[in-house]
């Protein structure tokens, strides 16, 4: 994924006839001992519009019921997002219930401010609700190109 | 101008779980610009906005040519971050051959738990290459 110099709401001030906002790629990832996560989407950089998105989420944490340990975008859905020249924010949510698991959910929140290299380096919080309630935290990074 | 809200709890059945919903809104009331945004939001794990609708009346003498009193349906909501003490929405609409972007960012009031105070930035880019923009205050509520 190529890096972009900067994409910002200021870009929205440089509107050209014909709505010539460029599209680009936005991707975020987590890779630590608790969570492996990849998110990739096209974005309209002028207005921060997310155009689709692919999700891969995997964890082996025992507090998380098995049906929620390996997910894609069909199950782990983007419910909040924010992208501008200062930061990338994502919140994804999934829930599950069956005869074995009365109810369980995970909520993954990523907040990644832009650094001096125009990368987005931040943190994540994975909130687990269900048979066990736990919050798992760590580092996350995003790139816009 | 802030509207007082009475929480409207409505059970909305989502694919697998029934979640209660409440009301959320934002208001801009300034000379030259009136704007209201209303939505339901889910009390469940997502906290996302549902069924949103907005009305805008831009009479600013510096506005681009055309009629700028209109409504926006749910498709205009392009970004939302209604998390914790923050209330952010970004709306986008193509109209009169121009692009309209309204960026609202508010934070929870220190004195009223359901209130969020912040600022807006409105940008309109007509096809003639000119640019209209204005900023100001916005008041939002979630209850």
């Amino acid at each position: 994924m190529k890096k972009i110099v900067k994409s910002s709401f200021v870009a929205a001030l440089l509107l050209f006839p014909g709505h010539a906002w460029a599209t680009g790629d936005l991707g975020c990832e987590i890779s630590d001992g608790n969570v492996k996560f990849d998110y990739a989407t096209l974005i309209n950089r002028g207005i921060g519009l997310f155009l689709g998105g692919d999700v891969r989420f995997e964890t082996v944490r025992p507090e998380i019921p098995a049906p929620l340990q390996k997910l894609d975008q069909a199950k782990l859905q983007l419910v909040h997002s924010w992208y501008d020249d200062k930061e990338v924010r994502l919140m994804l949510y999934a829930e599950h219930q069956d005869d074995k698991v009365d109810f369980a959910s995970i909520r993954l929140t990523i907040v990644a401010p832009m650094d001096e290299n125009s990368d987005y380096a931040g943190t994540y919080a994975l909130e687990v609700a269900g048979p066990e309630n736990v919050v798992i935290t760590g580092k996350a990074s995003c790139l816009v190109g | 101008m802030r509207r007082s809200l009475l929480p409207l709890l409505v059970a909305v059945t989502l694919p697998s779980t029934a979640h209660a919903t409440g009301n959320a809104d934002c208001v801009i009331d300034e000379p030259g610009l009136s704007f209201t945004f209303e939505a339901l939001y889910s009390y469940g794990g997502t906290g996302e906005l549902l069924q949103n609708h907005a009305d805008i009346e831009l009479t600013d003498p510096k506005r681009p040519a055309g009629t700028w009193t209109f409504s926006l349906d749910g498709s205009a909501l392009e970004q939302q971050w209604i998390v914790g003490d923050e209330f952010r929405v970004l709306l986008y609409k193509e109209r009169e051959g121009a692009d309209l972007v309204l960026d609202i960012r508010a934070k929870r009031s220190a004195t009223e738990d359901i209130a969020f105070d912040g600022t807006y930035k409105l940008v309109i880019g007509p096809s003639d290459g000119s640019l209209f923009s204005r900023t100001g205050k916005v008041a939002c509520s979630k209850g």
Side-chain angles (χ1 to χ4, degrees):
Chain A
M1 181 185 307
K2 294 181 182 177
K3 226 193 293 190
I4 190 174
V5 174
K6 189 176 283 191
S7 174
S8 69
F9 188 75
V10 172
L13 300 178
L14 304 176
L15 299 173
F16 293 96
H19 328 304
W21 277 315
T23 56
D25 301 312
L26 183 151
C28 295
E29 68 172 8
I30 300 167
S31 183
D32 60 21
N34 293 311
V35 174
K36 292 202 183 306
F37 170 80
D38 284 292
Y39 175 76
T41 184
L42 288 177
I43 56 167
N44 176 313
R45 294 206 296 266
I47 58 175
L49 170 63
F50 285 46
L51 305 168
D54 293 323
V55 173
R56 288 191 307 118
F57 171 87
E58 197 166 340
T59 181
V60 294
R61 288 289 297 246
E63 303 95 332
I64 300 175
L68 291 175
Q69 287 190 347
K70 191 170 184 180
L71 305 169
D72 62 16
Q73 63 274 5
K75 186 75 173 178
L76 184 60
Q77 298 186 345
L78 186 68
V79 293
H80 293 274
S81 62
W82 195 268
Y83 164 67
D84 61 22
D85 60 333
K86 293 184 174 60
E87 60 187 350
V88 173
R89 298 184 179 189
L90 306 176
M91 180 185 284
L92 301 97
Y93 177 81
E95 60 185 32
H96 182 82
Q97 59 183 149
D98 59 23
D99 294 340
K100 295 180 182 177
V101 180
D102 184 33
F103 179 81
S105 69
I106 61 170
R107 182 164 60 192
L108 176 63
T109 304
I110 294 173
V111 178
M114 179 182 270
D115 63 20
E116 61 275 9
N117 299 316
S118 298
D119 293 326
Y120 296 85
T123 57
Y124 77 88
L126 178 63
E127 300 167 79
V128 182
E132 295 186 58
N133 296 328
V134 66
V135 179
I136 302 161
T137 60
K139 294 183 179 180
S141 62
C142 301
L143 279 177
V144 177
Chain B
M1 175 175 76
R2 177 171 298 147
R3 297 167 55 191
S4 62
L5 289 178
L6 291 177
L8 175 65
L9 296 181
V10 175
V12 175
T13 301
L14 297 182
S16 58
T17 308
H19 292 281
T21 59
N23 291 339
D25 73 9
C26 293
V27 175
I28 299 169
D29 186 18
E30 297 180 336
L33 177 62
S34 293
F35 171 82
T36 58
F37 172 85
E38 297 176 323
L40 296 179
Y41 84 97
S42 171
Y43 279 112
T46 64
E48 64 183 319
L49 298 179
L50 309 168
Q51 300 178 22
N52 66 88
H53 175 88
D55 295 297
I56 185 167
E57 183 177 358
L58 177 64
T59 57
D60 188 316
K62 298 179 182 177
R63 70 190 185 280
T67 303
W68 295 97
T69 296
F70 59 96
S71 298
L72 300 96
D73 63 20
S75 65
L77 181 63
E78 300 293 3
Q79 296 199 74
Q80 60 174 297
W81 188 265
I82 319 298
V83 180
D85 293 334
E86 298 204 64
F87 193 120
R88 297 185 180 188
V89 294
L90 188 143
L91 298 102
Y92 168 75
K93 178 76 175 177
E94 291 183 33
R95 180 176 173 84
E96 303 278 4
D99 300 294
L100 179 150
V101 180
L102 179 58
D103 181 329
I104 290 174
R105 306 188 190 199
K107 292 198 172 181
R108 193 185 302 272
S109 165
T111 57
E112 193 175 352
D113 192 56
I114 67 168
F116 296 76
D117 300 312
T119 58
Y120 75 87
K121 184 182 295 183
L122 173 66
V123 178
I124 301 175
S127 58
D128 63 3
S130 63
L131 192 68
F132 170 86
S133 67
R134 65 179 277 165
T135 60
K137 293 184 178 181
V138 62
C140 302
S141 297
K142 187 181 79 170

